[in-house]
Amino acid sequence: MSTLSLFDDFPPDIEQLRQEINYHSYRYYALDDPQITDADYDRLMQRLRELEAQYPASITPDSPTQRVGAAPLSAFQTVVHEMPMLSLDNAFSDEDLLAFNQRVQDRLKSAEDIEYACEVKLDGIAVSLLYQNGLLVRGATRGDGTNGEDITQNVRTIKSIPLRLHGEGFPSVLEVRGEIYMPKAGFNALNENARITGEKLFVNPRNAAAGSLRQLDPRITANRPLEMCAYSVGWVDGGELPSTHSNVLAALKSWGFLTNRETQVAKNIHEAIAFYRRIGEKRDALAYDIDGIVFKVNSRKLQDSLGFISRAPRWAIAYKFPAQEESTLLLDVEFQV
Ligand SMILES: CC(C)(CNC(=O)c1ccc(Oc2ccccc2)cc1)c1ccc2c(N)nc(N)nc2n1
C-alpha cells in the first residue's frame, strides 16, 4: 500500500517539502556549502513532482518544479529599466587606476584613503532581476541601459537565481543586477556535445551564455549550464540597504543570491592594485572567464556624493586584463575542424 493513501484526505505538507528544497538550493548556491548530496536533492525534487501531480492545486509559481515554464515566446517584450543599467569607465594601467582614485579624492575634497570593494568582472551578460515582496517577477537584459529585453521565462530556468528570496529583511521592491555566465567546464561540455551532434560550436563562454539567453524556448535555456552572480542593487522601495557596497553584497547572499567568492574590501588604492595582481595571476585557474576587476567606492554615502557621468558612475571603474589568446586559438582550431 503506498504511504500516500494514508493522506489522501489530508494532503501531506507540500509547502514544507518546497521550503526544504529551497533551503538546500540556498545552501548550495548562496553559501557554496551544500548539506545534502545532489542525488538526495534530486530525490526530494522527484517527491515534490509526484506530490504536485497528485495535488495540482498546491502548485505555486515559486515552486522549484516551476522553473521551466510556459510555451516558447514568439518574441521578447521590451522592458524599460526604472533605474538605468549603467556601464563602467575603464582603466588599462596602474596609472589609470591611481588617476581614478585621485579624481575620487579631489571630488570628495578629501586626502583620506578611499576604501574600495573589489570584484571580478565576469565575462557574461548583464541582467536585471526584479523582486516584489520576495518573489521574482521580471528578468531583463541590459539592452542600451534604458530599454532591455524581457527574458523572465529564461532567467527562471537558472538554478542560482532564487524564485523567492531567502530569509527576511529584504525591501518590498528589490531590483538586483548581476552577470549571467557560463562556467568554463559547462562551456567545454556544451561544445564537446555540439561536436558529437554536429551542432554549432560557440566561440567562447560569453557568446554561449548570450546565445542561451536569446532562446525563445525556455526549455533550451533550461538545458544550458548557466549561473548568475549578483553584483549590485539598482532600484529599491520599501526598505533600507546597508551603508557599504560590501554589506549590500552580504545582504544579497543572505537573500539567496550567488555572489563571487573572490570579492574583497581594499583599505586603499594600493591594496586594490595588489588585489588586481593576485587575481590576474590565478585568472587561468578560475572556473569562469573574467575580463577585469571592478573597483567600487565601498561607502554608499560617498557613492551618492560622487554620482554618475552620463552613463557611468564616478565611483566605479573596471581595470581590464589583456585580452586572452585562447579564444582566437579556439577560433583557429574551430575553423580547422
Ligand atoms: C556599478 C555597476 C554600474 C552596477 N550598478 C548599477 O548599474 C547602478 C545603477 C543605478 C544606480 O542608482 C542610480 C540612482 C539614480 C540614478 C541613476 C542610478 C546604482 C547602481 C556595475 C556594472 C557592471 C559590473 C560588472 N560587469 N561586474 C561587476 N562586478 N560589477 C559591475 N557593476
Side-chain angles (χ1 to χ4, degrees):
M1 172 176 72
S2 112
T3 48
L4 283 184
S5 64
L6 293 177
F7 302 115
D8 278 0
D9 303 339
F10 305 97
D13 195 342
I14 295 179
E15 187 46 35
Q16 156 77 30
L17 177 54
R18 216 170 268 144
Q19 285 176 17
E20 185 182 352
I21 291 171
N22 287 337
Y23 172 71
H24 288 301
S25 281
Y26 164 68
R27 288 201 63 101
Y28 184 89
Y29 289 105
L31 303 186
D32 191 17
D33 177 21
Q35 250 178 0
I36 60 173
T37 63
D38 292 359
D40 284 344
Y41 179 86
D42 292 343
R43 265 191 284 279
L44 289 174
M45 281 294 287
Q46 187 48 36
R47 180 153 169 70
L48 179 58
R49 283 195 186 90
E50 285 160 9
L51 287 174
E52 287 184 347
Q54 178 123 7
Y55 301 97
S58 73
I59 295 176
T60 54
D62 66 308
S63 171
T65 62
Q66 303 305 302
R67 281 189 176 277
V68 189
L73 296 172
S74 52
F76 291 115
Q77 300 303 308
T78 297
V79 162
V80 180
H81 295 295
E82 291 76 7
M83 194 92 58
M85 285 187 71
L86 303 170
S87 51
L88 287 168
D89 197 5
N90 288 329
F92 296 97
S93 67
D94 291 1
E95 291 67 31
D96 288 348
L97 200 64
L98 292 166
F100 164 73
N101 182 62
Q102 192 58 57
R103 289 195 301 273
V104 166
Q105 286 183 318
D106 293 350
R107 209 160 175 94
L108 295 173
K109 296 184 178 53
S110 148
E112 298 283 310
D113 277 352
I114 305 289
E115 185 176 87
Y116 289 99
C118 311
E119 302 171 12
V120 294
K121 187 172 182 299
L122 290 163
D123 202 359
I125 306 297
V127 71
S128 155
L129 302 173
L130 182 61
Y131 289 80
Q132 286 173 349
N133 302 316
L135 283 177
L136 176 65
V137 295
R138 189 187 75 194
T141 61
R142 183 180 176 284
D144 61 10
T146 304
N147 298 300
E149 287 173 315
D150 186 324
I151 53 168
T152 306
Q153 296 293 1
N154 288 346
V155 301
R156 285 178 60 88
T157 70
I158 300 172
K159 294 186 178 59
S160 47
I161 292 180
L163 298 179
R164 172 190 288 275
L165 297 181
H166 178 83
E168 55 198 11
F170 43 79
S172 52
V173 177
L174 175 73
E175 192 235 340
V176 177
R177 288 152 180 211
E179 201 84 358
I180 291 176
Y181 64 100
M182 189 177 291
K184 293 171 184 172
F187 167 72
N188 294 331
L190 183 70
N191 264 358
E192 192 44 46
N193 191 45
R195 277 190 190 87
I196 293 166
T197 59
E199 281 169 288
K200 174 176 75 97
L201 296 178
F202 288 101
V203 172
N204 57 43
R206 187 196 177 287
N207 286 16
S212 302
L213 284 177
R214 263 203 300 275
Q215 294 296 326
L216 290 167
D217 183 351
R219 286 168 299 186
I220 298 174
T221 309
N223 285 328
R224 299 286 173 84
L226 296 174
E227 303 272 3
M228 186 270 183
C229 176
Y231 59 58
S232 176
V233 169
W235 177 37
V236 286
D237 197 11
E240 283 301 308
L241 288 177
S243 62
T244 63
H245 177 74
S246 48
N247 284 342
V248 168
L249 294 179
L252 289 173
K253 179 174 180 173
S254 75
W255 296 334
F257 292 98
L258 189 155
T259 53
N260 190 271
R261 61 164 59 166
E262 303 296 342
T263 304
Q264 272 188 343
V265 173
K267 283 202 294 292
N268 56 47
I269 200 65
H270 305 292
E271 278 193 15
I273 291 175
F275 179 87
Y276 174 85
R277 296 257 189 290
R278 187 169 67 76
I279 300 297
E281 279 156 18
K282 64 193 279 192
R283 181 186 184 190
D284 294 346
L286 293 176
Y288 37 78
D289 276 353
I290 61 172
D291 62 356
I293 299 294
V294 180
F295 297 108
K296 300 171 184 177
V297 171
N298 202 24
S299 155
R300 290 184 58 249
K301 190 161 158 289
L302 294 184
Q303 288 183 9
D304 290 347
S305 36
L306 287 160
F308 308 85
I309 316 162
S310 72
R311 313 207 60 72
R314 284 200 183 91
W315 42 265
I317 195 161
Y319 187 169
K320 311 292 286 273
F321 288 121
Q324 278 185 309
E325 295 314 310
E326 71 178 326
S327 50
T328 44
L329 188 64
L330 182 70
L331 209 53
D332 299 345
V333 168
E334 175 185 344
F335 286 105
Q336 279 161 13
V337 161

